């Protein structure tokens, strides 16, 4: 379909907003699938969004990933958000260091002069280990802070890509395929309709907690992620999408 190409970015944003019942859609030009600068712009847009929404005493939770990692250097000088707390949304040391949620949380806190708390917990733990860790007092206090977040910024990935990146077992991958998982966010896997079909046990934010978070913004772009973004947004828990033109056009095109 060619018609969508005559739409400007504003019109695209408006259509996506209506499609998924969002309060705000921000679209940066370009396509971060093949243009690194577009991904950098996504990070900038997310940083601007966060600056605009910060308030005294608020807690901000962030996930990991290469997209969120672009926020770290995008804040500029002169912000002193001393009363803000930044936390990782879920524990996880499995990713490359620069892309770990904890590292990103600490670096964002550094950039805006905020406080941070970390969860030093590896990914892919056995469920029994997760249960034991959840009862540790130190972990409990951090988890409580995470669950009380006011703003959540999270990435979205294609289900199979994230399953491989996270080193899921081949039975788990088969299961995801059987359930037709398309998108992933916060270690939850979603099918086309936005139904959660699988969850990797972890420590930190869980789906029921999202109800109490005032602002939930997904930050993801690239036309390769369009289906994943649609799958995750169809679950209807986000209020904001920060994306790029490549993903946005594909989302509209296929509708
Ligand atoms: C992860 C998030 O760290 O980043 C995932 O926890 C998300 O939920 C992923 O899917 C996206 O990664 P990237 O590198 O594509 O931004």
């Amino acid at each position: 379909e060619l018609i969508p190409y005559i739409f400007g970015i504003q019109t695209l944003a408006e259509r996506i907003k209506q499609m998924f019942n969002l309060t705000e859609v921000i679209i940066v030009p370009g396509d971060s699938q093949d243009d690194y600068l577009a991904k950098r712009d996504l990070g900038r847009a997310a940083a601007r969004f966060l600056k605009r929404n910060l308030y005294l005493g608020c807690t901000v939770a962030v996930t990991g990933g290469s997209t969120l990692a672009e926020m770290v250097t995008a804040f500029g000088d002169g912000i002193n958000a001393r009363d803000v707390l930044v936390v990782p949304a879920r524990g996880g040391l499995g990713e490359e260091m620069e892309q770990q949620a904890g590292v990103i949380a600490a670096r964002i806190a550094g950039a805006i002069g905020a406080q941070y708390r970390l969860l030093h917990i590896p990914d892919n733990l056995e469920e029994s280990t997760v249960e034991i860790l959840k009862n540790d007092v130190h972990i409990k206090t951090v988890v409580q802070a995470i669950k009380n977040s006011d703003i959540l910024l999270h990435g979205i990935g294609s289900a199979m890509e994230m399953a491989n990146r996270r080193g899921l077992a081949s039975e788990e991958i088969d299961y995801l395929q059987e359930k037709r998982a398309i998108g992933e966010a916060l270690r939850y896997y979603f099918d086309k309709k936005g139904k959660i079909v699988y969850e990797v046990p972890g420590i930190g934010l869980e789906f029921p907690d999202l109800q109490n978070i005032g602002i939930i913004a997904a930050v993801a772009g690239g036309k390769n992620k369009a289906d994943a973004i649609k799958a995750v947004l169809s679950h209807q828990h986000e209020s904001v999408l920060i994306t790029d033109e490549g993903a946005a056009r594909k989302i509209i095109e296929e509708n």
Side-chain angles (χ1 to χ4, degrees):
E1 218 201 320
L2 274 175
I3 297 160
Y5 284 92
I6 63 170
F7 290 150
I9 276 185
Q10 271 323 312
T11 318
L12 273 175
E14 206 44 54
R15 300 219 19 207
I16 294 176
K17 209 164 118 180
Q18 281 165 15
M19 226 165 122
F20 299 104
N21 214 355
L22 301 167
T23 54
E24 188 171 353
V25 174
I26 298 165
I27 302 177
V28 302
D31 185 334
S32 48
Q33 180 179 1
D34 35 45
D35 180 2
Y36 167 70
L37 293 178
K39 203 177 227 181
R40 211 176 63 185
D41 276 351
L42 263 184
R44 274 204 206 135
R48 267 199 305 271
F49 173 82
L50 181 59
K51 268 203 277 192
R52 171 152 66 75
N53 284 283
L54 281 178
Y55 55 90
L56 213 70
C58 75
T59 299
V60 180
V62 294
T63 66
S66 58
T67 315
L68 272 282
E70 290 298 333
M71 286 180 73
V72 167
T73 53
F75 287 96
D77 298 328
I79 322 167
N80 191 354
R82 239 183 320 147
D83 297 310
V84 168
L85 178 66
V86 189
V87 291
R90 295 194 94 176
L93 299 173
E95 305 236 28
E96 236 173 87
M97 203 264 278
E98 307 289 315
Q99 297 183 21
Q100 287 168 12
V103 173
I104 294 173
R107 291 193 176 154
I108 289 178
I112 63 175
Q115 317 297 315
Y116 65 88
R117 297 256 188 87
L118 299 182
L119 271 174
H120 300 283
I121 294 165
D123 273 335
N124 301 338
L125 289 175
E126 280 178 31
E127 237 172 309
S128 54
T129 316
V130 170
E131 287 314 311
I132 293 172
L133 288 173
K134 273 185 184 165
N135 285 315
D136 176 87
V137 242
H138 307 284
I139 291 177
K140 257 190 187 162
T141 31
V142 183
V143 169
Q144 212 37 59
I146 293 174
K147 288 183 184 293
N148 287 330
S149 294
D150 304 292
I151 302 175
L152 165 66
L153 293 170
H154 71 82
I156 293 177
S158 297
M160 284 310 142
E161 194 197 313
M162 289 312 296
N164 288 318
R165 211 160 103 183
R166 294 247 159 80
L168 296 202
S170 63
E171 307 85 72
E172 292 177 292
I173 297 195
D174 289 348
Y175 183 81
L176 288 175
Q177 252 150 3
E178 186 194 310
K179 292 286 175 190
R180 297 178 195 274
I182 309 262
E184 182 274 353
L186 295 157
R187 280 142 229 249
Y188 289 84
Y189 289 82
F190 301 81
D191 70 9
K192 196 176 169 193
K193 296 216 162 112
K195 194 172 128 212
I196 295 173
V197 294
Y198 191 62
E199 179 202 344
V200 178
I203 295 181
L205 273 187
E206 284 165 48
F207 247 92
D209 303 324
L210 301 192
Q211 284 172 3
N212 307 318
I213 303 183
I215 300 176
I216 302 181
V219 190
K223 56 180 169 313
N224 55 323
K225 278 196 190 177
D227 290 341
I229 296 170
K230 275 163 88 167
V232 174
L233 291 186
S234 298
H235 191 265
Q236 301 265 310
H237 55 271
E238 282 83 4
S239 48
V240 179
L241 172 68
I242 304 171
T243 190
D244 61 23
E245 210 181 332
R249 291 206 184 280
K250 189 116 194 283
I251 288 170
I252 292 294
E253 223 175 79
E254 287 171 354
N255 231 59

